[in-house]
Every structure is written in structure tokens, then in C-alpha cells.
Amino acid sequence: MSCLSVRPAAAGEQRYFAQYLLPKTAQELRRSGGAYTLLGALTGPLACGASAVRWTGGEAVLESLFIDPLVRGRGLGGALADLAILTARERDAGSLTCGYVLAGEDLVAMNAIFSRRGGAPRLLGPAYCADVSACRGARLIGAALRGDYRPAPAVVPFSRLTPEQLARLEERPDIPGYLRWQSCEPRCDRELSLAWVQAGQVSAYILGGEAADGGYLLAAAWRGAEAPAASFLALLRGQLNRCWYQAGGGFPYYFSAVTAPAQALARLLLQGHFQEYAQMSARISL
């Protein structure tokens, strides 16, 4: 039986562990590795899992923790979590936090990892995974999954927002911290995150990025009181269209819903073509 181990990844080893990271996390590691510490799980000399810790404002954020299904159930997930905690303490971080969206046995296992280490997993709300290829006939969103779809003129990708527009968003008191661009940016893609812009002002947005399984996710959505009610649907259609083009067809789409109205809207838009997951948060004080 191969020897199982965990350790910090050495410089130049990122490519061996990238398949076990969220796509956005792997991209950020390549671009700004100093803000992250990559931890690897190995069976003998071969990579079989990874986690990545992002350092921000004296705190540590666990952005990924994934073990290859072939070697699960042998303690590697817990060992990676322990190594992340040790690394965070060595960096004098005040806490280690993690957000995750899972269901079934995977959810039970991840909750157990954090509970045993004092993390007290907290349910933020449901999340949904839809097979977009099954949604092409859905009345409200099916139109976005065609080559002739054109988004509303007010729909603008975050890559085209000015620094001033982004700064004004961060200053708005009506946007909860966990929905802000600055909080969600590590998991999101500027081309897949869209804003509703009228008269130069952003009054609604939808943030998204790539998921670990090759699908896409809606990480956060916000609509100000001044935005039209139809803005969310227009933003969702625009995001789905961009994901559809990038994926080249069908893909799993994760839709987080943190409020009761958003839950109801998710069910309406997906018309039963979804599986329900739990969106969790855990925090370990160090």
C-alpha cells in the first residue's frame, strides 16, 4: 500500500496539484502565489489532493480542500485541514475560515472535519445544481442558451467597470459584506460577473466563476432598491449565456440562494431541473 502524506507544496509543484483546486484558485496561485500557501496530499510520490490557504488582512481563508475519490476515507482530508491550521498559526492568523457547497456524504465528511477542530459549521442556506443542458426548454432562461441571444444594453461585465464604480459599490451600506465584490472576488471571474449599469451607476449585479467540476457557479447576487425588478433575470440570462459559450454546451450550474425570495426564484427559473445542496461556512479560531 502506498504511503499517504501531506506537506506544503514546493515551488514549481503547482501543476501537479492544480487538478484538485478550484479553477479560480489555481489561476490566482499562478498569478500571485505570495498571497496563497498550497498544501498537497500525496500517495507515495503522486499527488492525490490539495488545499490552498489565502492570506488576507491577518486572517487565513481555506479556498480549496479536495481529496481524490480513490483515496478518500483514509484521513487525508483531516490531515490537510490540520496542516492548514498549523500553517495559519505559524503566520499568526487570528482564524481560519472556509466556505463550501456540498451534499450527501461529502457534506457530512466536510462538516465532520471542521467540527472536530472547533470550526462549528454553519448553514448559510440552500444552493442548487442544475444541468444546463436540461434547462434549454425552460421558459425564462432557455433563450440564453442559444447562439442568437443578445443581452440587455444595461448588462455589463465587471471587467468593464471603472475603479470608481467598483469603489462606490464597496461604499454602499445596503450590500451585506458576504455579497460584496471584494469578498467574493477570489472565487469569481470578471467576465462571468455582470452588473446592471444605468446612467453610469451600478444598481444590481450577479457574481460568478468556475466550479471545481468544470461547471460554473453563481456566487452572489444583489439588487438595489432603484434597480428594476427584471434586472436580476437579465443578469442571470447574460451570465448563463457567457458560461454556455465558454463551456461549448451543457454544464453543471451552481446557484446559491441566501434569502427566501432568492430560493423561490431559483426554483422558478430552474423549473425542477436541479439538485439541492447546502451552502456552509466554518470558522476556526486560532
Side-chain angles (χ1 to χ4, degrees), residues 55-205:
W55 309 105
T56 173
E59 303 298 317
V61 180
L62 192 63
E63 293 288 359
S64 291
L65 195 160
F66 187 84
I67 301 297
D68 194 296
L70 293 176
V71 291
R72 288 180 186 173
R74 297 164 68 180
L76 281 174
L80 274 180
D82 287 335
L83 183 56
I85 292 169
L86 176 62
T87 304
R89 284 177 175 153
E90 290 175 345
R91 294 275 295 252
D92 293 324
S95 65
L96 177 71
T97 61
C98 182
Y100 49 98
V101 176
L102 295 169
E105 293 181 359
D106 291 338
L107 175 63
V108 173
M110 190 70 83
N111 283 344
I113 285 174
F114 288 105
S115 294
R116 290 167 184 162
R117 291 158 181 82
R122 180 167 60 96
L123 177 66
L124 299 179
Y128 308 97
C129 179
D131 178 356
V132 169
S133 61
C135 296
R136 297 190 67 173
R139 182 173 60 86
L140 294 175
I141 60 175
L145 307 176
R146 297 199 303 258
D148 60 353
Y149 177 78
R150 296 294 180 269
V155 174
V156 177
F158 264 62
S159 61
R160 286 171 48 195
L161 296 183
T162 66
E164 292 75 20
Q165 288 172 321
L166 290 172
R168 285 195 293 270
L169 274 181
E170 290 298 319
E171 294 168 358
R172 287 194 63 139
D174 56 338
I175 305 179
Y178 64 91
L179 297 181
R180 291 183 181 275
W181 168 249
Q182 192 171 45
S183 299
C184 298
E185 184 180 8
R187 296 181 291 140
C188 296
D189 186 301
R190 287 176 182 261
E191 294 297 334
L192 301 177
S193 299
L194 305 176
W196 184 267
V197 182
Q198 289 184 305
Q201 302 296 318
V202 176
S203 58
Y205 59 71

